[in-house]
Amino acid sequence: MTEAAALPGQPRGGVISGPATARAHCVLAPNPSPMTLDGTNTWIVAEPDSDLAVVIDPGPLDDAHLTAVIDTAERAGKRIALTLLTHGHPDHADGAARFAELTRTAVRALDPALRLGGEGLEAGDVVTTGGLELRVVPTPGHTADSLSFHLPADGAVLTGDTILGRGTTVVAHPDGRLGDYLDSLRRLRSLTVDDGVSTVLPGHGPVLNDAQGAVEFYLAHRANRLAQVETAVEAGHRTPADVVANVYADVDRSLWPAAELSVRAQLEYLGEHGLI
């Protein structure tokens, strides 16, 4: 997911695994990698006085992790009543079917192929479980099926891979599209300006306490990368691989294949807008 080392916003400090807000608790999956950072953040979200909880992104198919999520909820006196997915990438969703089996919960997602025993999720939906309110925010771009979840009671938004706690995210072309991604970032910015969102609870990396700063960082980063890609093409770098080598020379080479996905999305965007 990540393609740069710069920190957006103001991270809370270190990898978060534990309470993040009054209603959100993170259980870190043991799947660290250059693409998943320290691992996938599985979120348990519940009203403090409720015995029901919602889990967002069970993570990889790892029984020890899935059991740890259930145990964490039970130690807090809560029963998991619903499972939600921000998107279908394996590090977020591969464990969903097994988790649904263990918890006897439905799985709700935008992609019908990921749903189990429940209805889907659409823009404007409000999930209410045990008094909890989660508002579904469509944030395509990283993938076509990417969603975020606005948690108004905590002034927070759970962003999956749309905004990370460290670095920036890949626009996973061809499923992900840059124009959609930029629109999604602007949609998230409106939450910070108009709806009091100050905290980002990301799918990877630490919590961000400056949600607006994080969104502005991401928008500026994308504008800079687009300008760099446009300049590279004008200088004769025509293939995505050549552009990556020129524009992402400061990025770890292990991330170049992921960067190439973003470059393909950037080239498509520039072509659609008549800029190259």
Side-chain angles (χ1 to χ4, degrees):
M1 267 64 65
T2 184
E3 63 184 33
L7 286 169
Q10 294 296 321
R12 178 160 291 175
V15 175
I16 181 123
S17 187
T21 68
R23 292 165 180 80
H25 185 112
C26 177
V27 182
L28 181 66
N31 60 334
S33 75
M35 291 293 289
T36 60
L37 303 180
D38 308 280
T40 301
N41 294 336
T42 294
W43 290 99
I44 303 170
V45 190
E47 282 296 312
D49 59 354
S50 173
D51 62 354
L52 299 180
V54 175
V55 164
I56 299 173
D57 291 348
L61 182 53
D62 181 316
D63 265 21
H65 171 63
L66 301 179
T67 300
V69 175
I70 296 168
D71 290 346
T72 300
E74 289 181 346
R75 284 196 300 271
K78 301 184 186 300
R79 175 178 64 84
I80 296 165
L82 180 64
T83 303
L84 305 177
L85 297 176
T86 62
H87 65 297
H89 277 170
D91 55 309
H92 293 257
D94 262 10
R98 174 61 173 155
F99 191 70
E101 179 184 356
L102 292 170
T103 59
R104 299 181 180 179
T105 59
V107 177
R108 297 183 64 183
L110 179 62
D111 185 349
L114 298 172
R115 302 172 191 168
L116 292 169
E119 58 188 315
L121 292 170
E122 301 290 344
D125 284 352
V126 179
V127 177
T128 54
T129 301
L132 181 74
E133 180 181 310
L134 286 169
R135 300 175 184 173
V136 178
V137 182
T139 48
H142 170 64
T143 61
D145 69 330
S146 287
L147 298 172
S148 295
F149 297 98
H150 177 200
L151 178 56
D154 284 347
V157 61
L158 297 105
T159 54
D161 285 353
T162 299
I163 293 179
L164 305 178
R166 185 168 68 249
T168 57
T169 202
V170 167
V171 178
H173 183 272
D175 181 47
R177 294 174 57 85
L178 182 57
D180 290 343
Y181 186 66
L182 294 174
D183 287 343
S184 293
L185 290 177
R186 296 182 188 110
R187 193 170 296 119
L188 291 174
R189 180 170 59 186
S190 74
L191 290 181
T192 72
V193 174
D194 301 325
D195 295 285
V197 168
S198 59
T199 302
V200 172
L201 306 176
H204 302 274
V207 168
L208 299 174
N209 287 333
D210 179 8
Q212 186 172 352
V215 176
E216 296 294 355
F217 174 92
Y218 268 57
L219 286 166
H221 170 78
R222 283 295 163 203
N224 289 338
R225 283 299 195 207
L226 270 175
Q228 291 171 332
V229 169
E230 186 176 2
T231 299
V233 171
E234 291 172 350
H237 301 282
R238 298 295 179 181
T239 69
D242 286 345
V243 172
V244 168
N246 179 264
V247 173
Y248 291 79
D250 59 337
V251 174
D252 189 319
R253 282 177 175 258
S254 69
L255 298 175
W256 280 16
E260 186 170 325
L261 297 179
S262 283
V263 164
R264 289 180 182 275
Q266 289 161 339
L267 292 172
E268 178 183 67
Y269 179 88
L270 290 168
E272 289 172 348
H273 289 77
L275 299 173
I276 58 172

